[in-house]
Amino acid sequence: ETGVTQTPRHLVMGMTNKKSLKCEQHLGHNAMYWYKQSAKKPLELMFVYSLEERVENNSVPSRFSPECPNSSHLFLHLHTLQPEDSALYLCASSQDVGGSTDTQYFGPGTRLTVL
Amino acid sequence: RKEVEQDPGPFNVPEGATVAFNCTYSNSASQSFFWYRQDCRKEPKLLMSVYSSGNEDGRFTAQLNRASQYISLLIRDSKLSDSATYLCVVGLMDSSYKLIFGSGTRLLVRP
């Protein structure tokens, strides 16, 4: 419905695992974003990509590693996560970065649980 | 101080009621303003942008007061389907343009 898909929808991993979250947008947008939403906290911007270049890295721990191979795909590679990293990870896209009227369209999110 | 502050609610109202949500933001350089809606265990979706002159979309009216750094959302004739969390969102240019989200106000519309 939204044109932004995310896989997997749910993920349970141990602290020593390595996993990747995938996001794909079918809207022809140039900008993609990763957000983290923890319980009872506002969405936190993690990374911003514009035309496959990272333009924002919001003081995110290095155990989160983004990758943007092209303007339609965005990955978030996870390794040695902590239980406090359990959250809903949302991907979004917009036509461009910096447009004050740009609407961000969100994917359904990946609900991550770190044991 | 939070960058975007909202009353978490919940606001529990009967169908047909009028309900208003308020939001304040701390950065006077904020450039754009939005209300997003997030249903339980779903992603946020844009409800409406907020313009300086105020704007209306059906039963929803949004207003902005830049001097007081205050945004509001009014919902008239509430429907059961309006039950959701309403996120106040502010856009500003920092090192790049970014959206700052409030924690949301939860609305429950009862029959």
Side-chain angles (χ1 to χ4, degrees):
Chain A
E1 182 187 3
T2 64
V4 181
T5 57
Q6 289 187 242
T7 55
R9 296 292 307 277
H10 301 271
L11 178 62
V12 179
M13 59 188 289
M15 291 192 287
T16 58
N17 291 158
K18 288 185 180 181
K19 296 286 184 184
S20 296
L21 310 185
K22 179 182 175 183
C23 175
E24 183 174 358
Q25 58 96 0
H26 314 274
L27 301 168
H29 288 167
N30 296 319
M32 296 187 77
Y33 311 78
W34 279 117
Y35 287 89
K36 174 183 178 182
Q37 188 174 34
S38 303
K40 299 188 190 290
K41 293 174 80 173
L43 270 76
E44 300 170 55
L45 180 64
M46 300 175 73
F47 300 105
V48 181
Y49 276 81
S50 176
L51 296 171
E52 302 137 52
E53 280 195 34
R54 191 190 309 179
V55 297
E56 183 76 29
N57 178 350
N58 229 25
S59 302
V60 179
S62 60
R63 56 186 185 269
F64 295 91
S65 174
E67 179 191 359
C68 188
N70 55 63
S71 59
S72 299
H73 293 85
L74 186 64
F75 294 90
L76 188 62
H77 303 299
L78 316 171
H79 63 99
T80 58
L81 293 193
Q82 305 297 312
E84 60 264 28
D85 296 322
S86 299
L88 180 67
Y89 288 84
L90 290 157
C91 174
S93 73
S94 65
Q95 186 60 57
D96 292 292
V97 173
S100 61
T101 57
D102 265 346
T103 298
Q104 290 189 16
Y105 295 87
F106 286 82
T110 295
R111 190 160 295 280
L112 173 67
T113 303
V114 182
L115 302 176
Chain B
R1 184 185 172 187
K2 291 181 183 175
E3 292 184 272
V4 178
E5 288 211 61
Q6 296 182 250
D7 180 343
F11 285 61
N12 193 324
V13 303
E15 263 188 297
T18 295
V19 61
F21 306 139
N22 303 320
C23 166
T24 57
Y25 59 95
S26 61
N27 193 326
S28 59
S30 300
Q31 300 169 293
S32 51
F33 309 89
F34 310 90
W35 284 101
Y36 275 70
R37 170 191 169 132
Q38 187 170 22
D39 292 288
C40 188
R41 307 188 78 80
K42 294 284 187 71
E43 72 274 19
K45 292 184 180 178
L46 179 69
L47 178 66
M48 58 196 302
S49 301
V50 187
Y51 303 117
S52 297
S53 54
N55 48 299
E56 189 173 305
D57 183 1
R59 297 181 293 108
F60 299 86
T61 301
Q63 295 202 309
L64 168 65
N65 185 323
R66 283 187 184 268
S68 301
Q69 296 181 197
Y70 167 97
I71 308 159
S72 67
L73 177 68
L74 183 77
I75 305 175
R76 290 182 300 278
D77 189 22
S78 300
K79 310 291 184 192
L80 296 176
S81 56
D82 293 334
S83 297
T85 297
Y86 290 83
L87 306 174
C88 177
V89 184
V90 169
L92 67 117
M93 183 64 72
D94 189 355
S95 50
S96 65
Y97 178 77
K98 58 177 71 171
L99 294 183
I100 310 296
F101 285 76
S103 298
T105 297
R106 191 165 170 223
L107 172 66
L108 301 171
V109 181
R110 63 181 187 271

